Amino acid sequence: MDFPPHLGSMPMHAITEIHGEPGLLERFRLEVQQFDDAARARLTAALDLAADLHRDDRRVREPYLNHLLRVAIRLMHHYQVRDVDVIVAGLLHDAVEDHPSELADADPGGDPTAAALRALASRFGQRVATLVAAVTNPVYDPARDRNTQYREHLAVSLDREPWARVIKVSDFTDNGVGVIHTVGPKVVSSARKYRPLVPLFRDLIGRPDTPLSPAVKRHIFAQLDLAEERFSAILDQPAPN
């Protein structure tokens, strides 16, 4: 497939709409050219594993891999991340949560999440597993509001893992700013889930120990403003007479 020479500067959702998964894969290939051979091999291995684990998964109108590619590309291009462990964890940030049994065979009665994290550590190193663990949702209490528990979990797990904040805000940007690319009832449910996270991410990204440049932090704050504008447009419309 032929891609335009300006693919490297196109917004990612525009690539998604026009060129689909092949376009995002090509954009990923362009981004990883800046790394050495060993780093590219690790990133390619992580992408291959993500593609295999999520091969049958969908996100409303698209293959789930598109979301993972956008998260990783955003880390490299917009956030200027050069830490390969962080990008690998970005590609695999949903792997343990969504496909623990495919990552590892847990002992009968054992913890499948723990087994999957051990398998991930064996394959990509303990730091990658630690970062993925920080953005992996726990088992929720069915008696409590799920969105409240989600927010509480992030506040605790991201407090102690600065690089995990960077991964999660890329994930949030794809889900939150990208909410207008969603269709059906998920538009409103996603806006309700993600809107309370805007002040949380403002605080986390603004902390001195968040390992991003001032320019990147300003970019993220602008994206959080845009997300809030879109949540307001979805949720704050006056009721019809």
Side-chain angles (χ1 to χ4, degrees):
M1 180 179 292
D2 292 329
F3 299 105
H6 58 275
L7 186 78
S9 62
M10 287 178 67
M12 281 179 284
H13 279 96
I15 295 175
T16 304
E17 292 296 327
I18 298 169
H19 302 293
E21 183 181 307
L24 290 169
L25 286 167
E26 176 64 13
R27 176 65 180 271
F28 180 85
R29 187 191 69 78
L30 293 174
E31 294 292 340
V32 301
Q33 285 180 351
Q34 64 193 298
F35 295 95
D36 62 26
D37 290 346
R40 285 199 300 272
R42 290 190 76 218
L43 291 165
T44 300
L47 175 61
D48 289 345
L49 178 58
D52 183 49
L53 291 172
H54 296 277
R55 60 190 176 277
D56 297 323
D57 297 344
R58 302 284 298 178
R59 256 175 66 101
V60 186
R61 297 180 299 156
E62 63 177 343
Y64 200 86
L65 185 64
N66 286 6
H67 166 64
L68 304 175
L69 284 164
R70 289 193 298 264
V71 167
I73 294 165
R74 186 176 296 107
L75 289 170
M76 292 183 282
H77 185 81
H78 293 295
Y79 299 176
Q80 295 297 295
V81 173
R82 299 296 178 264
D83 188 322
V84 175
D85 283 347
V86 175
I87 303 164
V88 167
L91 285 166
L92 297 169
H93 75 271
D94 282 330
V96 170
E97 187 175 314
D98 293 346
H99 297 285
S101 61
E102 291 180 62
L103 273 170
D105 294 326
D107 295 332
D111 182 348
T113 296
L117 288 169
R118 287 194 298 271
L120 205 59
S122 175
R123 196 158 177 177
F124 291 101
Q126 183 57 52
R127 184 162 175 255
V128 169
T130 298
L131 290 169
V132 171
V135 298
T136 296
N137 292 336
V139 177
Y140 292 127
D141 179 355
R144 297 184 61 219
D145 179 73
R146 188 179 181 89
N147 289 347
T148 299
Q149 293 179 78
Y150 177 62
R151 187 167 64 253
E152 292 172 350
H153 162 69
L154 289 182
V156 173
S157 66
L158 301 183
D159 177 69
R160 56 180 179 255
E161 290 290 346
W163 274 117
R165 299 170 200 165
V166 177
I167 295 167
K168 195 62 188 177
V169 82
S170 181
D171 177 44
F172 171 83
T173 299
D174 206 60
N175 292 322
V177 179
V179 70
I180 59 170
H181 299 279
T182 305
V183 295
K186 191 171 175 61
V187 174
V188 172
S189 64
S190 293
R192 286 175 177 158
K193 175 182 179 180
Y194 294 121
R195 190 180 203 180
L197 299 181
V198 171
L200 173 63
F201 280 118
R202 266 189 219 289
D203 170 63
L204 290 169
I205 296 303
R207 293 183 185 182
D209 66 334
T210 298
L212 297 170
S213 72
V216 170
K217 289 186 178 186
R218 288 193 296 271
H219 168 80
I220 292 172
F221 291 146
Q223 290 291 288
L224 293 173
D225 289 342
L226 181 57
E228 177 55 38
E229 289 177 13
R230 291 177 175 177
F231 297 149
S232 179
I234 294 164
L235 299 174
D236 297 341
Q237 297 300 309
N241 294 328

